[in-house]
Amino acid sequence: MLRYILKRLLMMIPVLVGVVVVVFTINYFTSISPAAVICGSMATDEQIAAKEQELGLDKPYLVQIGTYFFNIITKGTLGDSYIYKTPVLDMIASRLPNTIRIGLCASVLSAMIGIPLGILAAVKQNSSLDYASTFLAILTGAIPSFCLCLLLQLLFAMKLHWFPISGVKTWQSYILPIVSVALMPVAMTMRMTRSAMLEAIRQDYVRTARAKGLPEKTVIWNHTLKNALIPIITVIGMNIGISLTGSIIVETIFNIPGLGFLMNSSISQKDFITTQGCVLVAAFIMTFMTLLTDLVYAVVDPRIKSQYTKGKKAGKKSKLIKGGDAA
Amino acid sequence: MKLKKSLALLLACVMAMALAACSSDSSGSNAVSGDSATGGEESKTLRIGMDTEPTSMNPVLSTSGGGAVVNNAIYGCLWDITCDGAYNYNLAESYEYTTEDNTEMVIHLRDTSWDDGTPVTADDVLFSFQYYINGANAYHVMNIDFDKSYAKDDQTVVLELTQASSTFTEDLALLQIISKDLYDEGGDDAVGLTPKCSGAYTLAQWSTGETIVLEKNTNWWNADQLTYDRIEISCVTEETTRMLEFESGEYDIVYLTGKDNIEKLNNGEVSGAHVQYGDIQCITYVSLNTIDFDTFQDINVRKAIAYGVDWQTIVESICGDGYAMATSPLFPAANWAYKDEGVYEYNLDQAKQYLADAGYGEGEFSFTMRIADEDFNAEIAEAMQACLAEVGINMEVSVGDSATVKEENRSNTIQCGISKNMGANDPAGVINARMSSAKPNLTKFGDETIQNLLDEACTSTADQATRTELFYELQDKAWDYCSTFPLYESKVTFGAVDSLADFSNAIDASSGYLHLNDLVE
Amino acid sequence: MTQVSTRKISVQSEFVPQKKRQSQFQLKAHRFARNKAAVIALCFIVLLVFCAIFADYISPYDYAAQDLANKLQFPSWRHPFGTDNFGRDILSRIMRGGRISLLVSACAVSISAVAAVIIGSIAGFYGGTVDNVIMRVTDIFMSIPGMLFAMTVSAALGTGIMKTAIALGVCSIAPLVRQIRSSILLLKDQEFIEASKAFGVSNAKIIMKHIIPNTLAPLIVQISLRLGDTIMAISGLSFLGLGIQPPTPEWGNMVSAGKEYLTTFWPMVLFPGLSIMLSMLSFNLLGDGLRDALDPRMKR
């Protein structure tokens, strides 16, 4: 198991390297030079050239990207922001906690709403409750995030004064952003839960359990839900990954100093090195979440666990031997 | 069962949140509460809402609005020049030119100290000027010959200039004085993160995403006269959010640019607040690039544009109250070089005639206007487009973000754009971006005579009467040339609570930022 | 002998009723029609496309005509959605914006669909190292959060209709590649493909005749869902100042312009926001309905 985890961690590295290469290449071929933006419109050509030299922007592609990686490995730094001259890592580190707080709480909230709704819809399939909750879930998922934020801000902060309008001064100021970020994945969570549950309910072992005379509650909870967990975990893992990497729009409207906000401001100011750093951190979080999700699969489903521990061939054999019901 | 449990849990959470939120103290009305001070012996606090967060306390590197306000407060400059043209001497007591051709200046410093008690010396001043060469403000100090300038004694600085410049004192007003000892100790980082303050306030608290707190600097020479002991600055980028905070009483002063917000305050829709204008001596104008593009070579085409757009109506209806129509192609009315040229008269038939004279039929002439999405640019561009369509001219409007458009301006790929001149007291400072030596060509004149006259007027060090003559002649010629169309005189706008007195004396004349050290009794 | 057979045939033609055979398409259309939500969604989308194509003819006013004297009017008979801060009719701008949103969305999804089909088929069909390499590259692109990636590309390319379409198209390729590859992998092991190979049919022909038509169904579902997502992404980008900029009307930048007036004049935010929401909703429901109808394994 440990070997599997280590192997996966090592495999994350080429992916992250690839991410940096992609983002760097995109920024490299932009027509606007960051040096020109920083020096301002009154600057002369010589000043801009000097600035480019100072920032290392005049060197060829491979040298620049090589230096970047070299700095990461040897000095542990992601470079200094072109505009703020402070280390990118420090800037991200000071902003990441806010984003993570909002992301985690929002994921928990959306799971808390989405999963029960999905179970309800699956159990009472094709009833009016099913249609109503499905429709409600899709509706909340379709609201544009900026409209939602503006609406929440206007109603709850401005008119009712329940929460502060912006910033992160008190814990109450986190509530509205959390709700905004949470409402969007609810739809996907709910529908995934519903379809996974429906899939599991159709299985023969559920029919057997019902035929055995088990109470419905046990059938749903012990047999159906546990087997439906894998797709549900997938979608939750994905949602956590997306929420954690910062909803840019929510952070901009509520003025939360987080990763998404930094991303937005660095793009508009052409501060490419900060953008690269942010994307790198975001990609790291996403791949880490994927790894965690896979590990949770192993905890939940012994079939998968044996795949990881014994290797693929042995895993397939044990899968055949153990057979269906994992409850 | 699990379903019921989780629903119950959810309900409980929602109720708990609602209870907690309700019990927190928050003002219940839409009115803006007065200042949070109770006056007298208790400390008075001023709360300000700015737009962009400071990036560093190093004034050479600072590029944000919030940063500028903070830097102005914690660092002293030699003197401040405010909207009414007055020189408020800060770290300097006086200055004088010691040679006829104004190439040598002597500055007498005040006997004052940094916030830790060490005195501010002439060495600090010289060091600061040299330090600025590293930053984007280098052009302010380019005239100084550092080899020949020296500190005569602790309180006297002698500056040797490579050439005289009429805007020199204004340029110096923008430079903050940094402690040489601090830099020697800790370099750029020390200056940026743990600054030594020579200004009216010291930096008490600064961390990302939180309010910046400034406290009165008791070592400042005029500390007793300061109205406020404590200043809290919050930075909110989104103007909508910032306005909402102001309306619920979070700030005493808020920096505003949105037209609707200003209208709201002027209409009295927010009780207890009003608009504070700051005249920053800056005009916004439309410019045709007559140097890089042949499109506008024919004077008839330019005249068609000049007389085919209803400038007055556009400015009045789009900018609204508080913005005056600019009536000179170069200078705002408050400047002593200003000459009233009036407004280009809106005459559709004559414009069509000019277009015909130029040899273009209806819809045959077209060009592109490239603007940044700020201020009233987009609205004015659209209004212009509509007017010109009636004349038979096709104007395309292309909007981009500020950084991109600035860069395009520098590389001279813009055919027509909206520009602002730098605010300044000396007329040369106002129009020096149009000199032949400046890089962007958009605001220059394609006519050699006019351009040479401009260069001469800007670099002249003659007396005011002679220079006035030059500037008047320049304005007449520019007006007739029809390549630059004045729009409105910019003002910087703040929302302020009614309990605050007029603070236009604390608004910087060229940048519009607040000089918190000028908020004195 | 002949007599017997004639009698036989006549009996057959008189008494045995013939069963009417429905084509595949009719079966699926029938199943789709039973899903009322999907049908309503389809109607809305047709309406949207109609408005988009004929916007110039059916919109009550010119979308760019300013009437500063009548600015910020609440909805009335003359202006069903009100007027904006320039006095322009909001309904006309929404129609025009719909055309732009649909156009950009369609372009972006076509770019990503074509690219994904090509790449995904190659990966799924050839397997081995080619598959591995393509999968690793897809992993890289998929670990960059969607909005971030779209913003980076959009900032690099610039604002404008075609550039936004390209930016969003590039960003959606990776997930689609995954999708297509997995459906091809499922197909690859089916017996009829093996049979074709045994017959000596060339790889290219197998791809063209067997694989692509069978992956079409999930692809169509994905395209429908992606159209909705892309419209949302466009409005998000335009709201942030990238994407499509004024004066070109686009639902996202209309909301951005209207947010200043939110407390006093809500139509500028409400109507574009509602349009985005309804479009997204319709494409989602349509995608769901298509998925239910086209899946041959559903036993409804």
Side-chain angles (χ1 to χ4, degrees), chain A residues 41-55:
Chain A
S41 46
M42 290 285 285
T44 60
D45 277 337
E46 297 85 36
Q47 281 179 316
I48 294 187
K51 196 83 185 173
E52 283 192 354
Q53 205 176 32
E54 181 194 323
L55 298 174

Side-chain angles (χ1 to χ4, degrees), chain A residues 36 43 84 120 166 253 255 261, chain B residues 3 55 235 237 241 245 407 410:
Chain A
Y84 300 167
L120 195 65
S166 69
I253 295 181
N255 203 50
F261 192 84
Chain B
L3 175 64
T55 54
C235 300
T237 328
T241 318
E245 297 263 24
E407 174 56 17
R410 245 194 46 86

Side-chain angles (χ1 to χ4, degrees), chain B residues 133-436:
Chain B
I133 300 230
N134 297 340
N137 292 325
Y139 68 91
H140 290 299
V141 291
M142 283 206 302
N143 285 348
I144 301 179
D145 186 344
F146 286 102
D147 297 324
K148 300 210 190 114
S149 310
Y150 61 96
K152 196 156 165 204
D153 56 53
D154 270 352
Q155 310 296 128
T156 321
V157 182
V158 179
L159 289 177
E160 199 64 45
L161 304 176
T162 50
Q163 67 179 60
S165 157
S166 49
T167 55
F168 190 60
T169 48
E170 278 185 48
D171 294 338
L172 286 188
L174 299 170
L175 303 180
Q176 279 103 1
I177 308 300
I178 307 169
S179 164
K180 180 165 187 285
D181 295 329
L182 181 66
Y183 183 78
D184 288 338
E185 277 175 45
D188 288 328
D189 286 340
V191 179
L193 299 171
T194 51
K196 268 215 295 201
C197 309
S198 57
Y201 291 92
T202 58
L203 190 64
Q205 178 196 306
W206 173 45
S207 47
T208 317
E210 308 218 358
T211 321
I212 302 164
V213 179
L214 303 175
E215 301 247 328
K216 195 188 327 199
N217 180 3
T218 40
N219 277 322
W220 195 54
W221 59 274
N222 206 13
D224 306 322
Q225 297 296 316
L226 286 173
T227 323
Y228 296 102
D229 301 303
R230 194 182 144 93
I231 302 194
E232 291 172 9
I233 304 179
S234 313
C235 300
V236 179
T237 328
E238 266 292 308
E239 169 132 349
T240 328
T241 318
R242 207 183 323 139
M243 185 63 187
L244 286 178
E245 297 263 24
F246 179 64
E247 285 181 43
S248 25
E250 286 292 314
Y251 308 133
D252 300 315
I253 299 178
V254 68
Y255 175 63
L256 293 176
T257 49
K259 192 186 135 214
D260 180 58
N261 292 329
I262 297 171
E263 246 182 71
K264 242 206 241 179
L265 285 173
N266 276 332
N267 289 343
E269 284 168 35
V270 182
S271 59
H274 62 277
V275 180
Q276 169 77 54
Y277 289 102
D279 216 330
I280 50 171
Q281 288 226 37
C282 171
I283 57 169
T284 307
Y285 51 90
V286 174
S287 234
L288 302 174
N289 191 335
T290 44
I291 297 192
D292 296 304
F293 294 87
D294 294 331
T295 337
F296 306 112
Q297 261 196 358
D298 192 342
I299 177 93
N300 286 315
V301 161
R302 301 199 299 272
K303 280 192 174 162
I305 301 176
Y307 294 101
V309 178
D310 192 354
W311 304 105
Q312 183 116 30
T313 314
I314 288 179
V315 168
E316 277 173 11
S317 52
I318 292 178
C319 307
D321 295 331
Y323 286 86
M325 179 80 200
T327 45
S328 153
L330 301 175
F331 300 109
N335 197 290
W336 55 258
Y338 164 79
K339 181 170 188 225
D340 187 354
E341 302 282 352
V343 184
Y344 287 110
E345 193 197 320
Y346 178 51
N347 192 330
L348 188 55
D349 296 317
Q350 194 165 42
K352 286 187 181 164
Q353 187 57 46
Y354 280 128
L355 189 64
D357 289 343
Y360 292 101
E362 173 112 6
E364 282 176 26
F365 182 70
S366 53
F367 65 96
T368 312
M369 183 182 225
R370 179 82 169 136
I371 50 173
D373 184 18
E374 45 186 38
D375 299 331
F376 302 112
N377 290 358
E379 298 154 313
I380 291 177
E382 291 185 51
M384 264 186 77
Q385 191 179 40
C387 283
L388 287 178
E390 289 187 37
V391 178
I393 298 179
N394 230 351
M395 183 180 95
E396 296 274 320
V397 178
S398 165
V399 186
D401 66 287
S402 310
T404 319
V405 175
K406 264 200 197 145
E407 174 56 17
E408 288 178 24
N409 193 13
R410 245 194 46 86
S411 35
N412 292 323
T413 48
I414 298 186
Q415 225 176 356
C416 169
I418 297 183
S419 319
K420 280 198 268 209
N421 64 276
M422 298 264 292
N425 266 302
D426 192 284
V430 174
I431 59 173
N432 58 7
R434 298 174 157 203
M435 284 170 67
S436 308

